[in-house]
């Protein structure tokens, strides 16, 4: 090797590489999966070739967490951000779509946040026949019974449903009982809708659960 560092062979370059670069893609996928989907798509996959290869593996996207972390929310809102030219809601929806596409039909668990729309939900379901767990966190849009029925009738393997800040109606529950025979868990955080005018409705929902979901293990 000359003074300018030229002439190094491949073996010498490999010997000088950090040992962690030699980890299998499966290990990298496990480590990177600790990040959310949006962090992976915007940051992690751009770090190096090894990480990008891991982030393109469909197995990396069997579980997709599309909730926005505090740090990533700051990036999206920052006036100095390269993403400021995007409508933030549209941008987040597109990120979620891209993550679902990368799963190549292997998605089993997805967690959506307040930006989710009926159209996004339909997109996820159409491309995720193996979906077992569906979570709506901070859903501020009204979840119409018709939309919910159209979704769950295409998810025969569904086992878990998490819904926050949106009421599940009697019709929703009946649809779950009819189309999702494997359903084991329903978690609802509907505190905005409890009490007062909604008291009778909660009773109707409780009776609907007892009647239509006999295999339920956790409520």
């Amino acid at each position: 090797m000359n003074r300018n560092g030229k002439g190094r062979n491949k073996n010498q370059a490999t010997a000088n590489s950090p040992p962690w670069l030699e980890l299998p893609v499966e290990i990298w996928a496990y480590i990177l999966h600790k990040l959310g989907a949006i962090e992976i798509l915007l940051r992690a996959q751009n770090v190096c070739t090894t990480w990008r290869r891991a982030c393109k593996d469909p197995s990396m996207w069997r579980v997709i967490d599309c909730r926005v972390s505090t740090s990533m929310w700051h990036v999206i809102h920052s006036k100095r951000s390269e993403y400021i030219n995007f409508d933030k809601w549209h941008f987040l929806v597109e990120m979620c779509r891209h993550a679902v596409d990368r799963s190549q039909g292997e998605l089993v668990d997805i967690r959506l946040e307040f930006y989710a729309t009926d159209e996004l939900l339909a997109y996820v379901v159409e491309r995720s026949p193996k979906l077992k767990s569906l979570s709506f966190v901070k859903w501020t849009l009204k979840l119409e019974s018709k939309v919910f029925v159209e979704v769950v009738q295409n998810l025969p393997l569904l086992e878990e449903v998490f819904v926050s800040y949106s009421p599940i109606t009697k019709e929703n529950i009946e649809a779950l009982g009819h189309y999702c025979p494997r359903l084991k868990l329903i978690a609802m955080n509907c505190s905005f809708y409890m009490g007062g005018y909604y008291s009778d409705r909660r009773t109707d929902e409780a009776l609907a659960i007892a009647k239509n979901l006999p295999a339920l293990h956790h409520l």
Side-chain angles (χ1 to χ4, degrees), residues 31 72 86 91 94 194 209:
I31 295 172
M72 187 51 60
F86 291 90
F91 178 70
E94 288 305 307
M194 295 296 284
I209 289 172

Side-chain angles (χ1 to χ4, degrees), residues 30-92:
Y30 176 79
I31 295 172
L32 293 172
H33 202 270
K34 302 299 181 180
L35 300 172
I38 297 173
E39 285 88 343
I40 292 171
L41 292 172
L42 295 186
R43 288 179 167 175
Q45 70 171 4
N46 298 320
V47 169
C48 63
T49 302
T50 300
W51 284 22
R52 187 167 185 81
R53 184 167 60 250
C55 291
K56 287 188 174 182
D57 189 333
S59 65
M60 178 80 171
W61 304 96
R62 295 184 73 248
V63 176
I64 296 177
D65 188 347
C66 282
R67 294 173 295 181
V68 184
S69 68
T70 302
S71 60
M72 187 51 60
W73 193 244
H74 174 74
V75 169
I76 293 171
H77 275 280
S78 173
K79 293 182 179 180
R80 293 171 294 178
S81 172
E82 62 183 292
Y83 312 111
I84 196 64
N85 292 326
F86 291 90
D87 175 86
K88 58 180 177 294
W89 308 126
H90 176 73
F91 178 70
L92 292 169

Side-chain angles (χ1 to χ4, degrees), residues 158-178:
L158 194 65
E159 296 180 0
E160 300 177 344
V161 176
F162 299 83
V163 181
S164 294
Y165 306 123
S166 181
I168 288 185
T169 67
K170 176 183 176 182
E171 291 74 20
N172 295 158
I173 296 167
E174 290 172 348
L176 285 170
H178 183 72

Side-chain angles (χ1 to χ4, degrees), residues 116-123 139 141-144 147-148 151:
T117 62
D118 295 344
E119 291 75 17
L120 176 59
L121 191 56
Y123 190 90
W139 180 292
L141 302 176
K142 184 178 180 181
L143 186 59
E144 299 287 353
V147 173
F148 192 85
V151 168

Side-chain angles (χ1 to χ4, degrees), residues 182-202:
R182 299 189 181 189
L183 192 69
K184 299 178 181 178
L185 180 152
I186 296 180
M188 298 181 291
N189 177 6
C190 305
S191 58
F192 290 171
Y193 304 92
M194 295 296 284
Y197 174 78
Y198 293 95
S199 296
D200 292 340
R201 180 176 296 179
R202 308 315 295 184

Side-chain angles (χ1 to χ4, degrees), residues 85-105:
N85 292 326
F86 291 90
D87 175 86
K88 58 180 177 294
W89 308 126
H90 176 73
F91 178 70
L92 292 169
V93 168
E94 288 305 307
M95 287 291 98
C96 184
R97 286 174 178 252
H98 189 45
V100 171
D101 290 343
R102 286 201 177 185
S103 73
Q104 297 183 19

